[in-house]
Amino acid sequence: MTVGILAHLAGSRPYRELAKEIAARGFPYVQLALSKAITDADFSLGRLSPGLGNEVGGAFSEQGVRIAVLGCYASLIDLDDEIYRHNVERFKEHLRNARHFGAPIVATEVGVPPAKDSALLKKHWNRLYAAMDELVEEAERWGVTIGLEAAQNHLIDSPETMAQTIERYPSSCVGVVLDPCNMMGSHNFDRQEEVIREAFRLLGPRVVSAHAKDLKRDADGVPRETAAGSGELRYDLFFELLEKQKPLGFVTLEAVTDENMQDAARFVAEGRAAARKQA
């Protein structure tokens, strides 16, 4: 069983050096947010090209590292027309060029609404739907999958709001990047088994990748992010359901440091292998 890592957690570096560093750490694939991870190329809007994708993707491939996911984290709900258009066009550019990097998925969280006012929330939802209308068409044209990820305080923040969104887009080019920790906070961490099971019930068939970090309550009882295996998340249940629903799928480490990433990788690999035997 394998586990990947967010590429920039190995340090932001020139792309050839980064590929070598990730290979040396034993990770066979990455989620690559270009501007976060790579220091010797310009990935701003209008700069991506098949040649640049081939150059970067080739450098990783030479080291035996696949680019499983391109991360393009940009708000798709912004009400400022200029910012919104920039973000949509940037995501479309990633979709057009993903295959040249060797990446089957382009992933994002959708954005944080600045207020919970119901009238404004409706406007944000309409922005998201308008963006997705364009992005799904682009993804289908190029044969790439859009991976949507829920996160606390974002417009999509739960299994229910994610299901509401993807049900609107039955396209096989729209999937879910499942991070159980992103769907939990102080309000529901005591019900984590329920949340995990509901996530797989609602979203399981559409999962295209997963993230692995952990949550551990601090002295005030607030769940805080930590490395996978060092918190309180019911990973036994998560791995059981993941391997039943999406065996051998991508799982990418988050929230790790140089000191604990190998322990976290081992925890995930061993946990998935044990779940696989029981599946």
Side-chain angles (χ1 to χ4, degrees):
M1 303 297 292
T2 60
V3 58
I5 193 169
L6 299 182
H8 61 273
L9 294 180
S12 298
R13 308 165 185 265
Y15 61 88
R16 291 192 178 278
E17 182 181 326
L18 180 62
K20 289 180 181 178
E21 181 65 26
I22 289 168
R25 296 180 189 221
F27 293 102
Y29 57 86
V30 295
Q31 177 168 318
L32 178 63
L34 297 169
S35 297
K36 274 189 174 184
I38 294 173
T39 60
D40 60 342
D42 182 356
F43 299 107
S44 56
L45 182 60
R47 299 291 187 175
L48 291 191
S49 68
L52 180 55
N54 187 69
E55 185 71 17
V56 173
F60 278 78
S61 180
E62 287 169 8
Q63 298 299 324
V65 179
R66 290 163 291 155
I67 301 173
V69 181
L70 280 183
C72 183
Y73 288 91
S75 173
L76 301 177
I77 67 168
D78 206 291
L79 300 183
D80 181 289
D81 289 342
E82 186 174 345
I83 294 173
Y84 168 79
R85 179 45 48 193
H86 176 276
N87 291 346
V88 171
E89 292 301 325
R90 186 165 178 267
F91 202 96
K92 289 166 78 171
E93 190 173 64
H94 277 64
L95 291 171
R96 287 195 296 273
N97 289 283
R99 61 196 174 115
H100 302 295
F101 289 88
I105 302 163
V106 180
T108 190
E109 298 161 349
V110 300
V112 179
K116 296 297 184 182
D117 175 82
S118 59
L120 277 178
L121 283 176
K122 184 176 181 180
K123 290 182 179 180
H124 288 301
W125 279 110
N126 288 337
R127 280 290 198 185
L128 176 61
Y129 294 150
M132 287 296 293
D133 287 344
E134 290 188 50
L135 297 178
V136 171
E137 181 179 351
E138 196 76 14
E140 290 177 338
R141 180 177 294 122
W142 298 101
V144 180
T145 298
I146 298 167
L148 295 178
E149 181 181 359
Q152 290 294 296
N153 299 318
H154 281 243
L155 193 64
I156 297 178
D157 61 354
S158 66
E160 293 78 12
T161 51
M162 179 65 81
Q164 168 189 324
T165 305
I166 63 172
E167 285 168 8
R168 188 181 176 102
Y169 299 97
S171 170
S172 58
C173 288
V174 179
V176 175
V177 176
L178 187 59
D179 185 332
C181 295
N182 280 10
M183 297 180 175
M184 297 183 205
S186 298
H187 65 293
N188 65 355
F189 193 52
D190 287 333
R191 298 186 290 107
Q192 61 170 288
E193 179 175 343
E194 175 188 335
V195 175
I196 292 170
R197 289 191 184 280
E198 186 69 356
F200 278 97
R201 186 184 73 81
L202 292 173
L203 311 173
R206 303 286 290 274
V207 170
V208 294
S209 182
H211 285 169
K213 54 179 180 277
D214 217 325
L215 291 173
K216 185 174 184 178
R217 280 173 277 215
D218 63 17
D220 296 322
V222 178
R224 305 292 185 188
E225 289 185 4
T226 186
S230 61
E232 304 169 52
L233 192 76
R234 281 287 312 279
Y235 262 113
D236 56 337
L237 175 63
F238 182 74
F239 289 145
E240 173 193 339
L241 297 177
L242 182 66
E243 292 305 321
K244 283 181 179 177
Q245 189 79 60
K246 296 292 179 179
L248 304 179
F250 295 129
V251 177
T252 304
L253 291 182
E254 288 191 344
V256 293
T257 64
D258 287 344
E259 290 72 28
N260 61 25
M261 67 173 57
Q262 296 301 326
D263 287 340
R266 190 178 309 109
F267 169 80
V268 172
E270 291 176 356
R272 294 186 72 192
R276 182 96 173 121
K277 289 178 181 179
Q278 298 171 4

